[in-house]
């Protein structure tokens, strides 16, 4: 076959080239640039789709005689298609969301650049290209997070400082691997690393896990997430939460199962003290605590950000647990989370757009009649997030729970199930406070979301439900990923998974719910007619109802919060701030040494020489 | 219940009469969300029921087992809460808030109980749970702590005293159902009854061995229900914080101990 090879060779050139071309076109005409951005992202979707089932590698560049590789396999194809589809939808959404903001050329350039760099990451065949694309992505994220200036700048700075720590850790890991094995090629490393001592492998894993954990927002490394998510422009937040953060997931998969292979990875250490089990425990903590912190938030996007951290815990839990069911659950949850979290961020973005940037949950309310499409989108996204049957989130969580229970890890399963309740409370608060209850006076004349926003949200909502009813569509591909990573095959069919210890059959559930909704509705209709009364015509059992509008869901979970608030402080963030302020003080102390007076410097040199001579005389180390 | 209070109560057929009467009465609606939420909740409960074996009758036993039941049980509260959000009565809002928190408080021990049973019998299917118990004796005998924990949270799950703060007629005018009239109230009543049926049926299936035929199953359920009614009749009402604290101490500790014992017994590290 000729054309898949040509497609593959030119994919990154098209992706990067078009990003810069978009910037140039923007200088000529606004609509030309918008049209080009959408067309090029659609072209990228088609190009990646054309690569389906391809498994090959090419040398795209020689760097001092060192070949840099691109490689495609089932795993990278799955990530690549998710990336391109989601960024296309996000760019469509941006058309009306970003309409009246300055520096749009720059915005589109960065969006496409992020898209291209992510494609580079998942297709990279050696660690050098991986690192280069990783850095392009990290810096583009920084520029986009701080796009809105003001508080966004601080959020971006926080992100980039933490991200740099991760990048440095990864660099140490890569260089150490090079000195140890003498190559950057991932497939050669996978052969060479198998003979390395366990201590060394754990060191390498630790370095990479810090880097990927930071990007993914795993619990002790999550602190950049809430501020960066809440301050960035909403269409970009959807991409950031949906796929950019999941580059960490891709990294985990690459390092665990491609570089090391499960035979090495799952047998580092003994029982509870093995490396993957400790990762599982970290993932479980990441599920429980952020999901309950999300309940405390009053800012819509912060709430979603915390809940994103929690969902990343599920993904890591599935991946690190290392059974074929768990792996399938983890990868599928990555895919699902990309869909429904992007959907939720876009929906909140639409609300933000129509209310002129209001994100405070306590001043919104009653928007359901004004923005019905947005409400439905949020409802579907919320159901996916909680994992109600018939949405995709249910299937992936079911896979993870099942493997946890059957492999005898009830405490991890308990943490995962409990996290569901945290996300249930949090997301219901979001749904209720934005769309239900009484509308605020200032939002009486709100219009429905613009058409391009509705299209993006509708596509994602439909995807949430379709992958919930026919999970086999994605699970087949995920199953082939699992097989390519050396796991045993699962018995996947279009609507679920069959096995002797419990089957999942979504079509039954779907049929039952639809049939009974219909029956109940018919019976309901045969009852006596009801009269439609205005919302504020309430029955109060003779007691007094306050005049005027008020938002009675403020402090919705108060009795509960009074009990748990002291437990849920973000101590880790405070700890990082403590480190940064202490190091600043230390630096201040160091600075005092440099007085600027030449005489002092001469004294320092003489003192240093004296110390050296003294040491030599006494201990004779040289 | 009236017998325990030493007074005359309405006849046993009264709920049926009420439902038929209410169904033909005029009612008030607050719009689409108000109606659809309620329908969703009733449908959710009916579907949940299909997954629970009553004796040997279990129409949908191959579709995912106990984990599906756990999640389907969420449909009903979501439906009710959405429907309540369609109105603007402060009593509903308080009711929803209390319902969610109460659910959170009893779900902690409940999830532990369910996990213990699944770990002990090494299956996630309700039907095979029942079969295993019929072969090896009731679950409550091999897992006594778990059984006690489930029994302690039963009143909270059923929404009866001392945990009826969600409805609390004297405080918040019956909370959630204050805006419902006519056929809306009918749907709410039926949903509520089904919910109680599901909770008790789960108890019987998980820990009292289920049953071979529906009749024995219903007898077991009736016994549990009568005990619960007695509890309902003699206790006053908790406040919200007291309820959460209660559910998170005794039942949770017992359930946790039960889970640890089941793990050690099952030979897991």
């Amino acid at each position: 076959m000729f054309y898949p090879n040509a497609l593959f060779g030119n994919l990154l050139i098209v992706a990067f080239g078009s990003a810069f071309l978009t910037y140039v076109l923007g200088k000529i005409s606004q609509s030309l640039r918008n049209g080009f951005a959408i067309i090029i992202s659609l072209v990228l979707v088609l190009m990646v789709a054309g690569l389906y089932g391809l498994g090959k590698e090419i040398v795209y560049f020689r760097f001092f005689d060192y070949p840099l590789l691109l490689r495609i396999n089932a795993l990278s194809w799955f990530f690549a298609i998710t990336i391109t589809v989601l960024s296309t939808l996000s760019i469509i959404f941006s058309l009306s969301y970003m309409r009246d903001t300055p520096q749009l050329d720059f915005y589109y350039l960065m969006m496409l650049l992020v898209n291209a760099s992510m494609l580079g990451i998942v297709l990279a065949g050696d660690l050098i290209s991986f690192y280069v694309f990783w850095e392009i992505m990290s810096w583009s994220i920084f520029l986009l997070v701080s796009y809105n200036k003001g508080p966004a700048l601080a959020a971006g700075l926080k992100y980039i400082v933490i991200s740099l720590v991760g990048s440095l850790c990864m660099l140490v890991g890569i260089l150490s691997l090079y000195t140890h094995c003498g190559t950057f090629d991932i497939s050669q490393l996978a052969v060479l690393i198998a003979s390395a001592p366990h201590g060394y492998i754990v060191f390498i894993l630790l370095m990479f896990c810090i880097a990927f954990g930071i990007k993914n927002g795993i619990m002790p490394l999550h602190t950049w997430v809430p501020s960066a998510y809440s301050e960035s422009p909403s269409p970009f937040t959807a991409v950031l939460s949906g796929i950019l953060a999941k580059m960490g997931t891709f990294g985990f998969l690459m390092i665990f199962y491609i570089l090391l292979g499960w035979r090495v990875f799952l047998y580092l250490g003994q029982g509870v003290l093995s490396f993957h089990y400790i990762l599982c425990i970290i993932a479980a903590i990441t599920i429980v605590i952020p999901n309950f912190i999300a309940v405390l938030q009053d800012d819509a996007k912060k709430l979603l950000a915390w809940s994103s951290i929690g969902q990343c815990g599920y993904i890591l839990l599935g991946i690190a647990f290392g059974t074929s069911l768990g792996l399938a659950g983890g990868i599928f949850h990555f895919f699902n989370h990309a869909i429904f979290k992007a959907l939720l961020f876009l929906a909140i973005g639409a609300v933000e757009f129509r209310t002129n940037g209001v994100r405070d949950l306590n001043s919104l309310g009653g928007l359901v009649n004004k923005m019905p499409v947005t409400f439905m989108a949020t409802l579907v996204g919320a159901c996916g997030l909680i994992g109600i049957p018939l949405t995709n989130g249910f299937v992936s969580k079911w896979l993870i729970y099942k493997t946890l229970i059957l492999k005898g890890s009830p405490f991890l399963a308990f943490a995962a199930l409990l996290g569901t309740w945290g996300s249930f409370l949090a997301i219901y608060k979001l749904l209720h406070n934005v769309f239900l209850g009484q509308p605020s006076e200032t939002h009486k004349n709100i219009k429905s979301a613009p058409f391009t926003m509705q299209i993006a949200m509708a596509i994602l909502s439909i995807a949430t439900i379709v992958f919930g009813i026919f999970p086999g569509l994605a699970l087949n591909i995920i199953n082939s990923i699992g097989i390519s990573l050396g796991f045993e095959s699962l018995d996947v069919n279009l609507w679920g998974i069959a096995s002797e210890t419990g089957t999942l059959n979504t079509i039954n559930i779907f049929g039952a719910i639809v049939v009974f909704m219909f029956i109940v509705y018919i019976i309901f209709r045969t009852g006596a007619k009801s009269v439609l009364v205005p919302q504020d015509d309430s029955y109060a059992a003779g007691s007094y109802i306050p005049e005027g509008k008020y938002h009675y869901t403020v402090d919705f979970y108060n009795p509960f919060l009074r009990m748990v608030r002291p437990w849920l402080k973000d101590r880790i963030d405070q700890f990082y701030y403590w480190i940064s302020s202490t190091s600043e003080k230390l630096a201040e102390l160091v600075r005092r040494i440099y007085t600027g007076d030449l005489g002092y410097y001469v004294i320092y040199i003489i003192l240093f020489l004296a110390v050296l001579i003294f040491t030599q005389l006494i201990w004779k180390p040289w | 219940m009236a017998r325990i209070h030493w007074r005359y109560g309405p006849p046993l057929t009264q709920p049926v009469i009420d439902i038929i009467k209410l169904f033909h009465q005029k009612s008030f609606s607050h719009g689409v969300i108000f109606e659809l939420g309620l329908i969703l909740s009733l449908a959710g409960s009916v579907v949940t029921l299909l997954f629970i074996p009553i004796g040997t009758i279990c129409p949908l036993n191959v579709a995912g087992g106990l984990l599906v039941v756990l999640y389907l049980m969420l449909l009903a509260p979501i439906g009710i809460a959405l429907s309540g959000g369609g109105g603007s009565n402060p009593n509903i809002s308080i009711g929803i808030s209390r319902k969610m928190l109460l659910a959170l408080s009893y779900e902690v021990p409940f999830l532990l109980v369910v996990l213990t049973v699944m770990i002990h019998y090494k299956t996630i299917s309700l039907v095979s749970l029942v079969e295993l118990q019929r072969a090896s004796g009731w679950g409550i005998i091999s897992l006594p702590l778990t059984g006690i924990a489930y029994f302690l949270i039963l009143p909270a799950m059923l929404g009866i005293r001392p945990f009826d703060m969600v409805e609390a007629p004297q405080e918040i005018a019956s909370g959630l159902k204050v805006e419902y009239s006519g056929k809306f109230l009918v749907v709410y009543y039926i949903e509520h009854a089904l919910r109680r049926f599901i909770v008790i049926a789960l108890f019987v299936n998980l820990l009292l061995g289920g049953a071979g035929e529906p009749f024995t199953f219903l007898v077991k359920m009736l016994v549990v229900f009568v005990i619960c009614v007695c509890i309902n009749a003699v206790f006053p009402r908790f406040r919200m914080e007291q309820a959460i604290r209660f559910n998170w101490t005794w039942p949770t500790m017992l359930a946790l101990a039960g889970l640890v014992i089941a793990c050690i017994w099952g030979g897991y590290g």
Side-chain angles (χ1 to χ4, degrees):
Chain A
M1 290 272 279
F2 167 70
Y3 73 89
N5 293 348
L7 276 183
F8 183 45
N10 294 320
L11 182 65
L12 284 185
I13 302 171
V14 172
F16 277 100
S18 60
F20 292 102
L21 196 55
T22 311
Y23 186 76
V24 176
L25 284 179
K27 296 293 176 206
I28 303 168
S29 149
Q30 296 260 330
S31 46
L32 190 64
R33 174 203 60 209
N34 294 351
F36 184 71
I38 290 179
I39 288 170
I40 204 66
S41 31
L42 281 174
V43 166
L44 285 178
V45 172
L46 291 178
M47 283 178 87
V48 173
L51 296 176
Y52 176 66
L54 192 69
K56 70 184 263 80
E57 61 175 63
I58 51 169
V59 177
Y60 71 97
F61 189 65
R62 284 194 174 273
F63 179 72
F64 292 119
D65 267 359
Y66 190 80
L68 297 185
L69 297 171
L70 286 185
R71 182 175 292 128
I72 187 160
N73 50 30
L75 180 67
S76 39
W77 184 82
F78 188 65
F79 272 79
I81 195 81
T82 319
I83 289 165
T84 46
V85 170
L86 213 60
S87 16
T88 308
L89 291 175
S90 153
I91 286 175
I92 292 176
F93 188 89
S94 307
L95 284 185
S96 34
Y97 183 86
M98 300 298 291
R99 200 161 36 202
D100 300 321
T101 40
Q103 292 179 318
L104 267 183
D105 302 334
F106 176 69
Y107 173 79
Y108 282 106
L109 163 70
M110 285 335 261
M111 285 296 270
L112 289 171
L113 198 60
V114 160
N115 190 0
S117 63
M118 282 190 291
L119 282 178
I121 289 172
V122 297
L123 296 178
D126 62 304
L127 291 174
I128 287 283
S129 358
F130 186 85
Y131 187 73
V132 169
F133 289 126
W134 186 269
E135 282 303 283
I136 297 178
M137 177 187 77
S138 296
W139 285 95
S140 321
I141 295 178
F142 167 64
L143 292 172
L144 274 169
V145 165
S146 46
Y147 183 77
N148 281 339
K149 308 284 176 353
L153 215 54
L157 211 58
K158 189 172 174 183
Y159 157 75
I160 197 68
V161 168
I162 297 176
S163 176
L164 276 178
V165 173
S167 300
L168 286 178
C169 285
M170 186 153 80
L171 195 59
V172 169
I174 291 175
L175 292 179
S176 164
L177 272 178
Y178 182 70
T179 47
H180 194 271
C181 302
T183 175
F184 288 116
D185 184 352
I186 294 175
S187 57
Q188 286 176 24
L189 279 175
V191 180
L192 293 172
I193 194 99
S195 56
H198 276 190
Y200 179 71
I201 294 180
V202 169
F203 162 72
I204 292 292
L205 271 180
L206 216 58
M207 287 294 126
F208 279 96
C209 280
I210 290 174
F212 300 142
I214 283 175
K215 200 59 82 196
N216 217 345
I218 296 305
M219 190 61 188
L221 309 167
H222 64 278
T223 52
W224 64 275
V225 173
S227 55
Y229 281 23
S230 55
E231 295 304 336
S232 52
S234 282
F236 173 64
T237 321
V239 175
L240 179 58
S241 163
I243 41 180
L244 273 171
K246 305 305 181 311
M247 285 303 109
T249 310
F250 178 80
F252 281 130
L253 282 168
M254 185 197 77
I255 194 86
F256 293 164
Y257 297 120
I258 294 183
L259 194 65
L260 287 181
W262 64 273
R263 284 179 194 82
V264 179
F265 171 64
L266 295 182
Y267 297 101
L268 287 173
Q270 285 283 314
V272 182
L273 285 179
S274 62
F275 193 84
H276 84 109
Y277 203 81
I278 292 173
L279 264 186
C280 286
I281 293 171
I282 292 175
I285 295 170
T286 311
I287 291 172
V288 176
I289 297 179
N291 269 321
F292 280 92
I293 294 183
V295 182
L296 299 171
Q297 303 302 317
D298 280 332
D299 179 322
K301 281 173 82 175
K302 257 196 185 131
L303 189 149
L304 288 178
W306 277 109
S307 128
S308 278
I309 303 175
Q311 300 296 318
C312 285
Y314 283 99
I315 299 171
L316 181 63
L317 184 57
I319 289 173
F321 198 69
T323 57
S324 49
L325 267 181
L327 186 79
I331 300 179
F332 196 30
H333 203 66
F334 142 75
F335 179 68
N336 297 337
H337 183 253
I339 294 176
F340 60 66
K341 195 44 77 65
L343 175 59
L344 285 171
F345 272 118
L346 291 185
I348 291 304
V351 172
E352 208 185 348
F353 179 70
R354 280 303 186 204
T355 55
N356 292 325
V358 179
R359 293 198 313 249
D360 180 17
L361 288 175
N362 293 339
S363 46
L364 290 164
L367 295 180
V368 55
N369 295 323
K370 312 283 181 204
M371 310 179 84
V373 177
T374 317
F375 169 72
M376 282 314 289
T378 319
L379 183 62
V380 170
C383 288
L385 182 70
I386 302 167
I388 302 280
L390 298 194
T391 55
N392 52 12
F394 170 71
V395 182
S396 46
K397 283 188 181 177
W398 186 89
L399 292 172
I400 297 173
Y401 296 149
K402 187 184 158 189
T403 187
L404 289 179
I405 291 167
L406 293 181
K407 296 288 172 194
S409 297
F411 293 100
L412 294 178
F414 176 64
L417 283 165
L418 197 60
T420 298
W421 270 92
S423 54
F424 180 67
L425 292 184
I427 204 70
Y428 184 71
K429 178 179 175 177
L430 179 86
L431 203 60
H432 192 130
N433 283 16
V434 175
F435 292 103
L436 304 176
Q438 299 179 339
S440 141
E441 282 297 333
T442 48
H443 301 146
K444 271 277 185 266
N445 300 316
I446 278 181
K447 283 182 291 211
S448 186
F451 182 65
T452 49
M453 292 191 181
Q454 291 189 355
I455 282 191
M457 289 189 290
I459 292 175
L460 286 171
S461 312
I462 291 168
T464 307
I465 292 173
V466 164
F467 285 111
I469 298 171
F470 304 110
L473 293 176
L475 277 177
N476 269 323
I477 303 169
I478 292 168
N479 191 27
S480 64
I481 296 174
I483 294 169
S484 76
L485 296 180
F487 287 91
E488 61 186 86
S489 172
L490 299 167
D491 188 4
V492 178
N493 52 32
L494 187 56
W495 33 73
I497 276 191
S499 70
E500 65 274 23
T501 47
T503 44
L504 178 67
N505 192 336
T506 47
I507 202 78
N508 276 352
I509 308 175
F510 172 68
I513 289 183
V514 168
V515 166
F516 279 96
M517 278 290 273
F518 189 68
I519 292 175
V520 170
Y521 181 69
I522 292 294
I523 295 174
F524 188 73
R525 282 300 293 269
T526 55
K529 273 234 169 229
S530 62
V531 184
L532 190 67
V533 296
Q535 194 189 31
D536 44 9
D537 185 359
S538 315
Y539 169 77
S543 52
Y544 168 75
I545 286 195
E547 291 286 323
K549 309 281 184 208
Y550 59 99
H551 204 51
Y552 52 73
T553 43
V554 174
D555 287 342
F556 201 38
Y557 300 122
N558 211 0
F560 168 64
L561 294 188
R562 271 203 299 265
M563 294 177 65
V564 299
R565 196 185 290 275
W567 302 89
L568 289 181
K569 278 195 193 127
D570 193 354
R571 293 223 169 75
I572 298 162
D573 200 20
Q574 293 165 3
F575 174 66
Y576 288 147
Y577 272 114
W578 178 79
I579 287 185
S580 82
S581 65
T582 328
S583 56
E584 215 166 276
K585 277 178 201 152
L586 270 178
E588 180 68 23
L589 278 179
V590 172
R591 199 188 61 78
R592 292 227 179 123
I593 299 173
Y594 299 97
T595 51
D597 187 353
L598 201 63
Y600 278 101
Y601 293 154
V602 175
I603 293 173
Y604 291 153
I605 294 169
I606 292 169
L607 274 178
F608 183 64
L609 282 177
V611 169
L612 283 185
I613 294 165
F614 183 73
T615 327
Q616 174 66 9
L617 285 178
I618 304 292
W619 289 292
K620 299 194 193 320
W622 298 290
Chain B
M1 171 138 172
R3 202 52 63 76
I4 304 170
H5 281 175
W6 289 15
R7 61 178 168 85
Y8 286 104
L12 278 176
T13 50
Q14 188 62 39
V16 181
I17 299 170
D18 273 347
I19 279 175
I20 294 170
K21 178 196 74 179
L22 282 169
F23 199 64
H24 294 288
Q25 273 181 349
K26 198 174 87 170
S27 55
F28 298 99
S29 159
H30 284 305
V32 182
I33 292 294
F34 191 75
E35 296 175 12
L36 275 185
L38 209 51
I39 294 175
L40 176 70
S41 74
L42 180 55
S45 282
V46 176
V47 173
T48 316
L49 199 57
L50 294 183
F51 283 86
I52 296 176
I54 297 166
T56 45
I57 306 168
C58 181
L60 286 177
N61 67 348
V62 289
L66 197 46
L67 288 172
V68 175
V69 173
L70 281 183
Y71 272 89
L72 276 175
M73 281 170 77
L74 288 173
L75 269 180
I78 283 191
I80 292 274
L82 283 180
S83 163
S88 74
N89 194 313
N91 288 327
I92 305 181
S93 180
I94 301 172
I96 298 174
S97 160
R98 289 185 177 189
K99 191 181 172 78
M100 296 277 185
L101 292 181
L102 187 64
L104 175 69
S105 78
Y106 68 65
E107 280 295 322
V108 174
F110 179 64
L111 292 175
L112 285 171
V113 165
V114 171
L115 282 171
T116 314
V117 176
M118 285 195 274
I119 287 287
H120 184 72
Y121 290 102
K122 295 188 181 64
T123 175
I124 61 165
S125 156
L126 264 173
V127 177
S128 47
L129 269 181
V130 172
E131 280 163 9
L132 285 169
Q133 286 187 65
R134 291 180 67 198
S136 67
W138 290 9
I140 199 165
I141 294 167
S142 44
L143 301 165
L145 292 177
T146 311
I148 297 170
Y150 199 157
F151 186 73
L152 284 177
I153 56 170
L154 260 184
M157 296 187 74
L158 296 172
I160 57 176
R161 273 185 295 254
F163 296 98
D164 67 339
M165 59 289 267
V166 175
E167 306 229 313
Q170 300 87 339
E171 288 172 36
I172 53 171
S174 298
L176 288 172
K177 61 180 184 227
V178 61
E179 284 291 306
Y180 296 139
S181 53
K183 59 184 177 180
F184 295 98
L185 200 52
V186 169
V187 174
Y188 182 82
Y189 274 142
I190 296 177
E191 196 279 320
H192 203 61
L194 278 179
R195 182 120 187 118
R196 293 182 168 181
F197 189 88
I198 289 167
V199 169
I200 298 180
L202 265 184
F203 183 53
V204 172
N205 271 326
L206 288 181
L207 291 159
L208 297 187
E213 73 254 53
F215 181 71
T216 332
F217 189 82
L218 291 178
V219 169
K220 280 182 182 175
M221 280 187 62
L222 191 65
V223 172
V224 177
F225 184 65
V226 168
I227 297 174
C228 288
V229 168
C230 294
I231 295 173
N232 183 26
V234 296
F235 272 99
R237 184 181 305 135
F238 272 156
R239 276 191 308 139
M240 206 58 230
E241 284 104 314
Q242 290 170 326
I244 297 178
R245 198 160 294 145
F246 171 79
N247 279 334
W248 281 3
T249 47
W250 287 109
T252 307
M253 268 154 59
L254 285 173
L256 204 58
L259 180 55
V260 171
I261 291 171
C263 276
I264 294 170
W265 200 353
Y268 298 118

